[in-house]
Amino acid sequence: MHEYSSRGSTRRAAPSRAPKPAPELRWQILDDLTAARDDWGLKDRTLQVLRALLSFLPRGETTGFVVFPSNRTLSERLLGMPESTLRRHLAVLRDAGLIARRDSPNRKRFRVGRNADLTFGLDLTPLFAAAHHLRQAARQAADRRARVTQLRARIRDRMARADLSDTRRDTLRGTLRRKLDEAALTDLLATLPPETDVADSENGRHIQTSSRLRKPTNDLNVAQDALEEVAGMVNRPLHTPRDVERAGELAALALGVRDAFAVARHRNGAIWATMALAHVHRRLPRLRDPDRYLHALVARAATGGFDLMASLSRPAPPLTFAPRP
């Protein structure tokens, strides 16, 4: 509503704070499909092609889902993707049942009349019809990733506490650098000595401690193991300092410690912050709030109350399955 002054000029009333609009359905669907892409066998570039197709839908469209850009137009929107590559990704989307073709007699894509229903092109209706299924698949994928993260943490924990030969330990480290699914990690965990209960760990603690004291800790190896652990979590190689920082950012998202990681990186640098993620990862099954835990570690480190290298060189405390209070 406008208010008018005596001079006839118009002054706008202070805008009211509107609720934040929900994301458009098409982008929600794309996000869900991205989260569950392994189930559909889709690669990043195929999803980029799908994003480009969705961008041709009019904003707020809820009925007509046929788009008709030419391959050249699509290629330009995809920053010059070769048309041969584009056709291959379109075929993948079609074979996955996410799009359908509505071909004209000459296989051109066009619409007859501005408001006509006769449109030849790429039909995104199957994608929108699968919206509910994709939401469920995205949730299942998130649960699966959480289980994989916990399995990796348990494997690292057992490796740290078990009496393994150097060859066996190196083999396990190499295996963990690969992208393994839940079944493969479960099988790998079964090959390691079982976790001892609390009483057994008390009896063996002196022997384990003495063994560690006989092997001087090499900080370089400890740091390398920690960084490789984080790289394995996100399946990214580490070649440059930027690779380390990017792997840390992705791992922080996976662990739910994004805010604490940003604080750790600001105070202690990207290398320290990324190695701290390995410390959190090894204790993840025991943590109620990983983000708060990492915040506390950063605060303790600032006052000298926490030594990250010393902590990484020690195994995580044994799991206890007593119910939480």
Side-chain angles (χ1 to χ4, degrees), residues 11 15 24 50 92 115 126 159 161 188 197 222 253 276 296 308:
R11 183 179 63 192
E24 281 192 78
L50 182 59
V92 170
N115 298 315
M159 286 174 57
R161 291 191 290 111
L188 183 61
D197 57 27
V222 171
L253 286 173
L308 178 60

Side-chain angles (χ1 to χ4, degrees), residues 276-317:
L277 295 180
H279 173 90
V280 173
H281 184 223
R282 295 172 188 179
R283 289 156 176 76
L284 192 63
R286 307 167 183 80
L287 300 179
R288 291 183 177 179
D289 189 339
D291 192 65
R292 184 176 178 182
Y293 177 76
L294 183 53
H295 271 296
L297 292 185
V298 175
R300 287 172 54 197
T303 60
F306 174 70
D307 185 336
L308 178 60
M309 297 302 297
S311 177
L312 289 172
S313 65
R314 296 192 300 267

Side-chain angles (χ1 to χ4, degrees), residues 218-238:
N218 187 321
D219 283 354
L220 182 60
N221 289 339
V222 171
Q224 182 178 359
D225 287 347
L227 294 176
E228 288 179 351
E229 179 174 344
V230 174
M233 290 170 54
V234 295
N235 195 31
R236 291 180 67 93
L238 302 181

